[in-house]
Amino acid sequence: MLSLDRLTQRKDYLAANGGKRAPMPGFVLLVRERNDADPSMRIGITVSKKVGNAVIRNRMKRRFRMLAREILPEAGIAGADHVLIGRNGGIERPYADLKAELAKALRRVRPKGDPKVES
């Protein structure tokens, strides 16, 4: 199983913005392959103040962290940065829907010829 590290620097978030994106009803997924021979996946989560107050934003981030821990080890792209950006209405979506949407978004941004695309 691949390790799941955190994105901590602003430049990494900005670089991920130049990668592939998959908008979903509850979030936007950004994925950028690092091409640095490090197979670990990195995850970044951001929720802007437009989405709600601090309580709402923190609840949303906790849900996204749980989703990432659950799905990325099997379905994530090795050696890539993954960024989840919270959207309005994402907190009201059922967890099962968010889980299905993240799996769908990961299939959408997966590189061509990757064997995990069919699964």
Side-chain angles (χ1 to χ4, degrees), residues 75-87:
I77 300 166
D81 292 342
H82 302 73
V83 176
L84 285 167
I85 303 171
R87 294 178 112 177

Side-chain angles (χ1 to χ4, degrees), residues 52-113:
N53 64 19
V55 174
I56 299 292
R57 294 193 314 269
N58 287 327
R59 185 181 307 150
M60 199 170 211
K61 287 189 273 189
R62 282 193 305 270
R63 292 180 93 195
F64 285 160
R65 277 194 294 271
M66 195 66 219
L67 277 171
R69 284 188 209 119
E70 212 173 309
I71 294 178
L72 285 183
E74 303 90 34
I77 300 166
D81 292 342
H82 302 73
V83 176
L84 285 167
I85 303 171
R87 294 178 112 177
N88 278 331
I91 195 68
E92 289 94 15
R93 297 191 66 72
Y95 186 79
D97 289 356
L98 288 173
K99 190 173 174 180
E101 289 167 3
L102 181 56
K104 180 179 176 183
L106 285 166
R107 284 192 303 272
R108 194 179 289 178
V109 298
R110 190 162 294 289
K112 301 285 186 237

